[in-house]
Amino acid sequence: MKTDWVDLSFQLFPGGSFGEFNLPREFSTVLSHGKGARLYDVYGKEFIDVSLSWGSVILGHAHPAVTEAVRHQIERGSSFSYVNDVALRLAEEMVRAIPCAEKVRFAASGTEATFYALRFAKAYTGKSKILKFEGAYHGAHDVGVMSLFPKRLLPYPLPEPTSAGVSKTVEEEVLIAPYNDLETTQRIIDRYSDELACVIMEPLQRCTPPMVGFLEGIRKITKERGIVLIFDEVVTGFRLAYGGAQEYYGVTPDLAAFGKALGGGYPIGAICGRAELMDRCTEANLGQEGYVWFASTLAGNPVSAAASLATLGELRRPGTYERFHALGRMLREGFKSLLEELRIPCQVLGDGPLCQVAFTDEPVKDYRSAFRADRQKGREFALGLFREGIFLNPMGTKLYLSRAHTDEDIGAMLEISRSVLRRVFP
Ligand SMILES: Cc1ncc(COP(=O)(O)O)c(C=O)c1O
């Protein structure tokens, strides 16, 4: 009997998905393979992929250099849970590339990386509160989902958990500030400075760029008050620039978390930063005050490390980042002129190879201004694109471009967008 793949996926996976890919059943599909900037489903449909495994596959699917490095490594063993030459080479490259990196610990995902960064900050300062920006995502742990998609828009700094099952204690520990609002953030930091261990932030929050002086301001206040600054570079790392957002914006945090693009499509996470903080997890200190427990069975596995080294090798090729920025600009400017031509009020967000469209005539600078956009139209647009063969996550609607995308792909996406927009805004 022929398998009905979508039926089976709804039978076996809650919501027919792996999580946070909120497609209605009639849009759902099951993928079979990917190559370059294309994904293919089991029914033979081809998509232009702008989800890129949520940004992981920065060179495109099944890049020959990455595939070859993985093939070579799997013959030599897949995981040792111990220091190995491949992971060591990777750490060396990270320290070379990332301004804040003096030491590195590997993890298996971005969630794990930010989780540990927060723990390091608390252990180092002996304080327990965390300041997070409204609408930022730092992974699936309790802190990461605090005020991720808040609906009640409580007064700052009160958090609103986006998931049930979150610890009450964590809720009490997290303070929420508005991104790009230095004055309000400074007021919260001043008020809680004695209890505040760290500020964690996406330097480019989702697709909203930092306003002039915002990152510098946060760096200055945190440094003055002995508060650890964590950059969550899970999205921006190796994407905005080889040295991540910290190189791109010229602001160096104390700790940074990486994932996604670092692994080139293979599971990885990494925390790096000042040695003084990172050394908290030295095992010889077990049992002593301030010791950070750190363990992750598959962390530093040589297959992901080999994929990562191959990916970074490709990213270091001359012209890569110029190309990423040019591609992103082409898509953003294409959207701007298209939406202007169709007289649809919108803001086109993003930087580097990232792009997002918000249907509002108000400039988007933080979660609340994005929240006021016409999100219903946004969803109809995303689903329309999906139906027409553009593979994107309709939850976030952040579009990721890879090294494999061509100018023709951008042209095709804009053409498809034109017809979808005409239907969504008749
Ligand atoms: C900024 C940011 N941090 C952390 C994470 C969590 O990474 P992972 O899904 O690898 O756990 C994500 C995932 O989307 C992210 O966008």
Side-chain angles (χ1 to χ4, degrees):
M1 207 179 75
K2 220 171 133 215
T3 308
D4 187 321
W5 292 101
V6 171
D7 269 359
L8 192 59
S9 74
F10 274 82
Q11 197 181 313
L12 299 177
F13 302 134
S17 97
F18 286 177
E20 296 310 329
F21 209 104
N22 182 9
L23 275 175
R25 190 185 179 107
E26 66 272 25
F27 286 81
S28 287
T29 189
V30 171
L31 294 172
S32 72
H33 62 289
K35 182 73 194 150
R38 296 287 184 282
L39 278 174
Y40 302 86
D41 71 10
V42 290
Y43 307 104
K45 182 169 174 175
E46 179 181 292
F47 293 89
I48 299 177
D49 182 19
V50 282
S51 171
L52 298 183
S53 174
W54 294 357
S56 307
V57 192
I58 191 163
L59 301 175
H61 297 279
H63 188 283
V66 180
T67 307
E68 186 43 45
V70 167
R71 196 174 281 135
H72 173 74
Q73 182 53 46
I74 53 180
E75 300 279 349
R76 295 157 44 96
S78 58
S79 191
F80 314 130
S81 308
Y82 192 74
V83 176
N84 58 81
D85 53 350
V86 197
L88 201 47
R89 286 268 171 257
L90 177 57
E92 207 175 24
E93 184 52 33
M94 290 182 71
V95 169
R96 236 191 319 262
I98 301 160
C100 80
E102 290 173 6
K103 289 200 173 174
V104 179
R105 271 272 165 122
F106 288 114
S109 69
T111 295
E112 250 190 88
T114 58
F115 166 84
Y116 278 117
L118 295 166
R119 181 178 282 178
F120 276 117
K122 288 176 164 189
Y124 179 73
T125 57
K127 299 189 270 182
S128 65
K129 285 207 192 301
I130 292 163
L131 185 140
K132 167 193 186 286
F133 290 94
E134 191 172 42
Y137 184 52
H138 300 299
H141 50 65
D142 285 6
V143 177
V145 298
M146 214 56 88
S147 291
L148 169 58
F149 293 124
K151 295 217 163 63
R152 287 184 292 151
L153 307 181
L154 301 170
Y156 302 114
L158 289 177
E160 179 189 327
T162 294
S163 171
V166 162
S167 150
K168 271 277 163 224
T169 316
V170 173
E171 205 174 321
E172 283 158 17
E173 281 176 357
V174 176
L175 305 168
I176 301 297
Y179 181 71
N180 268 332
D181 180 345
L182 193 55
E183 214 182 297
T184 307
T185 307
Q186 174 147 14
R187 258 204 310 275
I188 299 169
I189 293 178
D190 281 341
R191 167 133 188 248
Y192 291 92
S193 130
D194 291 346
E195 299 166 81
L196 199 54
C198 60
V199 171
I200 184 166
M201 65 191 305
E202 295 183 75
L204 169 87
Q205 184 170 305
R206 309 285 76 202
C207 262
T208 307
M211 282 158 61
V212 176
F214 182 62
L215 297 179
E216 292 81 354
I218 300 290
R219 176 66 284 188
K220 183 166 177 290
I221 308 165
T222 47
K223 195 171 252 166
E224 283 167 2
R225 299 187 181 34
I227 294 163
V228 175
L229 178 61
I230 303 169
F231 273 5
D232 176 348
E233 294 241 32
V234 171
V235 168
T236 52
F238 298 97
R239 195 180 317 271
L240 291 186
Y242 190 66
Q246 46 195 287
E247 177 195 320
Y248 189 61
Y249 296 121
V251 175
T252 307
D254 301 300
L255 289 174
F258 289 79
K260 295 197 194 261
L262 172 65
Y266 288 78
I268 203 163
I271 307 98
C272 58
R274 282 171 38 212
E276 203 188 346
L277 276 127
M278 300 290 302
D279 281 337
R280 289 279 153 170
C281 65
T282 300
E283 279 71 21
N285 298 333
L286 177 64
Q288 293 184 21
E289 208 179 308
Y291 169 70
V292 167
W293 173 269
F294 194 115
S296 174
T297 302
L298 294 174
N301 79 77
V303 176
S304 292
S308 176
L309 277 171
T311 302
L312 300 193
E314 290 300 308
L315 291 175
R316 282 196 304 279
R317 284 181 188 274
T320 300
Y321 287 89
E322 286 81 354
R323 175 69 184 153
F324 278 149
H325 283 267
L327 259 186
R329 255 192 320 271
M330 198 185 305
L331 185 60
R332 288 190 297 274
E333 279 163 17
F335 270 130
K336 267 185 211 152
S337 36
L338 176 59
L339 286 145
E340 238 169 66
E341 179 197 319
L342 300 176
R343 297 177 190 286
I344 299 168
C346 81
Q347 305 295 319
V348 181
L349 307 170
D351 201 343
L354 294 165
C355 174
Q356 188 172 12
V357 176
F359 296 110
T360 171
D361 48 19
E362 172 190 2
V364 170
K365 61 177 180 50
D366 58 8
Y367 176 78
R368 292 191 188 192
S369 44
F371 191 75
R372 288 191 288 270
D374 191 336
R375 286 169 292 124
Q376 180 54 34
K377 291 284 190 206
R379 180 156 176 83
E380 283 171 36
F381 178 49
L383 291 176
L385 292 179
F386 194 91
R387 178 159 270 164
E388 298 300 325
I390 298 187
F391 199 91
L392 79 170
N393 182 356
M395 278 288 282
T397 64
K398 184 196 282 176
L399 311 182
Y400 284 98
L401 298 169
S402 74
R403 193 64 187 84
H405 285 95
T406 61
D407 293 7
E408 289 70 34
D409 291 332
I410 304 287
M413 280 196 280
L414 291 170
E415 268 323 294
I416 293 170
S417 299
R418 176 189 298 277
S419 66
V420 173
L421 284 165
R422 283 204 169 116
R423 279 203 302 277
V424 175
F425 294 87

